[in-house]
Amino acid sequence: EGRKKAGESCSLPESSWEERLANAVTPLWRLPYQEQLQVKCESQRKILQTLASRLEELGIDAQKPGGLCCPLQPVVPSPIINGYRNKSTFSVNRGPDGNPKTVGLYVGTGRERNIVCVKANHVENIPSKHKQVAQCYEEFISRSPLDSCIFFHEGGHWRELVVRTTSCGHTMAIITFHPQELSREALATQKALLKEFFTCGPGAVCALTSLYFQESTMTRCSHEQSPFQLLHGAPHIFEELLGLKFRISPDAFFQVNTAGAEVLYQAVGKLCQATGDSVLLDICCGTGTIGLSLAHRVSKVIGVEVVEKAVEDAEWNAAFNGISNCEFHTGKAEAVLPQLLASWEDARPLVAVVNPSRAGLHYRVVRAIRNCRSIRRLLYISCKPEGEAMRNFLELCCPPDPRKKLAGEPFAPVLAIPFDMFPHTEHCELVLLFTR
């Protein structure tokens, strides 16, 4: 099923809630896959044209053929087109039929107050295992006397569900719960009922590897703010990538398309041109996947990551795979990196790979990279290059500016390669190579 052509099984009733959800979540679902790639290539072309014109405004001659800032390679296709997601987040809210305990994905916006939660059974990028767990969770909360928590101030308890799966056949479910004014005894009862449902009741069909519970009074909570409580099974699930085994915690970052990530990381390895005496700086390293997959090519890997549990995973992953030339630092990159690079006196070539969230890199991170003369080659991996990443691109390439403490020689974009990590959506992972 994972390799069928996009559009082959597309038959949803016009203007149905299912069609509206498919259009919102997977807007390219109707197009054959080759056409999806063409659409994405065109959008990446426009981004590179925008970057070229923005650089021109800074007095940098960046225009290349086609008005681009650098050559653009064709979009690299995903090895799997349907059901590729290894992580899905399902909301709990009112469905089209008014059921306040519907588990699905949102159609509509909070601003317009027209949000409806629609079951995602037909959405093509979500695997059947995720849909099965969502269906079972809906069955569980439909039996519960406790309400769903739609607005925090209106009470209610049952909130979102995150499902993570791996190619090793592991499944992790994380259920978010608003405790409101419940006593510890009442909370313990709910956790026991949840565990019983997924181990002995109808939910046992999901064969969960891990069942987690998180009490959360905020929209999103880190493990440090509110610990993930293991109700059943193993504390971690495991994934295999490029011959290595990776441990994944509930909130650790891992590329959402595992097969696509293998293709991406292999390309990153080639683009780095790292040699045996190079040091690889892996910024926003998550569970260490990029650094560890390239560790055999370089003399040393230095990873920086804000999520403490992800760094614990990265260190475990290095040890388990017998990789001894990696070190990982916990903390915000803007706090860790300037200190790390300010005292850098290593004669070995330093290659940087950055893979930030959509918020991009903090200015202090860009400044630290610019001001470190040892970094001559930088790979920026962005899932939203038209957003905050664009600001970073300009900061990397602009002339030195003493007022902004930007003394280092500017970088220049030399190659762009988009990777389709998200078939059926409009998104791409753009790898932009900068050198100086």
Side-chain angles (χ1 to χ4, degrees):
E1 181 209 39
R3 295 179 186 272
K4 71 184 176 186
K5 291 176 186 171
E8 264 184 22
S9 64
C10 302
S11 55
L12 293 178
E14 287 292 321
S15 297
S16 65
W17 284 106
E18 288 78 13
E19 187 197 33
R20 288 171 67 179
L21 179 61
N23 291 343
V25 177
T26 50
L28 305 182
W29 67 277
R30 283 189 183 80
L31 295 180
Y33 190 53
Q34 286 307 313
E35 288 185 32
Q36 293 189 24
L37 295 178
Q38 289 166 11
V39 168
K40 295 188 185 204
C41 193
E42 196 48 45
S43 68
Q44 301 304 303
R45 184 180 302 282
K46 287 176 181 171
I47 289 164
L48 296 185
Q49 287 171 339
T50 301
L51 179 54
S53 61
R54 298 284 297 277
L55 290 171
E56 291 278 333
E57 290 168 12
L58 294 174
I60 300 163
D61 181 16
Q63 294 280 357
K64 300 291 185 294
L68 307 181
C69 62
C70 63
L72 172 65
Q73 291 196 357
V75 181
V76 178
S78 171
I80 296 174
I81 298 165
N82 293 310
Y84 58 84
R85 289 191 67 90
N86 56 38
K87 180 183 179 184
S88 299
T89 302
F90 298 95
S91 300
V92 179
N93 212 310
R94 288 188 184 83
D97 59 356
N99 174 16
K101 291 183 174 179
T102 301
V103 176
L105 306 177
Y106 284 152
V107 174
T109 63
R111 190 181 303 157
E112 295 182 22
R113 296 172 179 254
N114 62 351
I115 284 178
V116 176
C117 196
V118 180
K119 290 187 186 185
N121 295 334
H122 60 292
V123 176
E124 297 211 342
N125 62 355
I126 299 177
S128 55
K129 172 59 78 173
H130 295 201
K131 296 169 184 176
Q132 180 189 47
V133 179
Q135 188 61 47
C136 285
Y137 180 49
E138 181 171 301
E139 185 179 339
F140 173 79
I141 64 174
S142 70
R143 298 176 177 194
S144 172
L146 299 184
D147 292 333
S148 55
C149 177
I150 294 175
F151 295 109
F152 289 5
H153 63 279
E154 290 181 3
H157 301 277
W158 298 113
R159 292 189 51 222
E160 69 183 24
L161 162 75
V162 174
V163 186
R164 303 186 76 152
T165 48
T166 69
S167 59
C168 305
H170 299 167
T171 305
M172 177 187 285
I174 307 152
I175 286 162
T176 311
F177 183 91
H178 197 307
Q180 303 290 0
E181 307 300 322
L182 284 188
S183 65
R184 299 320 295 175
E185 293 77 14
L187 271 167
T189 299
Q190 292 309 315
K191 288 188 268 189
L193 290 169
L194 196 57
K195 178 181 176 179
E196 182 185 19
F197 178 87
F198 276 104
T199 54
C200 315
V205 69
C206 299
L208 295 181
T209 312
S210 313
L211 173 61
Y212 274 99
F213 183 86
Q214 188 186 40
E215 298 165 35
S216 174
T217 57
M218 295 182 279
T219 308
R220 285 278 187 281
C221 261
S222 66
H223 175 76
E224 288 73 33
Q225 291 167 319
S226 178
F228 290 96
Q229 303 168 47
L230 182 66
L231 301 188
H232 163 72
H236 307 95
I237 55 175
F238 294 87
E239 184 57 282
E240 289 178 1
L241 192 84
L242 296 175
L244 301 176
K245 192 169 184 177
F246 291 94
R247 183 179 95 169
I248 301 171
S249 293
D251 60 343
F253 171 78
F254 202 90
Q255 283 285 359
V256 80
N257 178 342
T258 306
E262 288 198 310
V263 176
L264 172 67
Y265 296 162
Q266 283 173 321
V268 165
K270 289 175 186 170
L271 289 168
C272 278
Q273 291 186 0
T275 55
D277 65 338
S278 301
V279 175
L280 180 72
L281 188 59
D282 187 3
I283 302 167
C284 312
C285 68
T287 54
T289 43
I290 293 177
L292 293 171
S293 66
L294 302 182
H296 65 288
R297 295 176 179 236
V298 298
S299 63
K300 187 177 184 180
V301 173
I302 301 172
V304 178
E305 169 59 41
V306 68
V307 178
E308 205 171 307
K309 286 288 177 186
V311 171
E312 287 177 22
D313 287 345
E315 288 171 342
W316 185 93
N317 294 334
F320 182 84
N321 289 289
I323 298 170
S324 57
N325 63 337
C326 296
E327 64 180 56
F328 298 98
H329 299 261
T330 308
K332 290 182 177 179
E334 60 267 27
V336 174
L337 199 67
Q339 290 178 310
L340 202 63
L341 295 181
S343 57
W344 190 265
E345 291 178 357
D346 201 311
R348 290 174 290 184
L350 188 55
V351 180
V353 176
V354 301
N355 187 15
S357 67
R358 291 183 177 195
L361 295 173
H362 193 284
Y363 178 70
R364 288 207 296 269
V365 176
V366 176
R367 189 171 65 194
I369 291 169
R370 278 279 303 257
N371 293 346
C372 180
R373 292 179 182 177
S374 300
I375 301 174
R376 315 300 298 170
R377 199 170 186 87
L378 169 72
L379 277 169
Y380 195 120
I381 306 170
S382 175
C383 60
K384 196 178 181 185
E386 71 279 18
E388 290 302 306
M390 182 66 72
R391 170 179 55 81
N392 290 159
F393 302 157
L394 297 171
E395 290 164 349
L396 286 165
C397 300
C398 70
D401 187 342
R403 292 170 304 160
K404 295 180 180 177
K405 299 180 182 174
L406 206 61
E409 181 190 343
F411 284 86
V414 293
L415 183 65
I417 311 179
F419 289 80
D420 186 20
M421 303 287 280
F422 319 101
H424 307 302
T425 77
E426 294 171 329
H427 302 295
C428 249
E429 201 86 11
L430 182 67
V431 176
L432 204 46
L433 172 63
F434 293 90
T435 62
R436 60 177 176 176

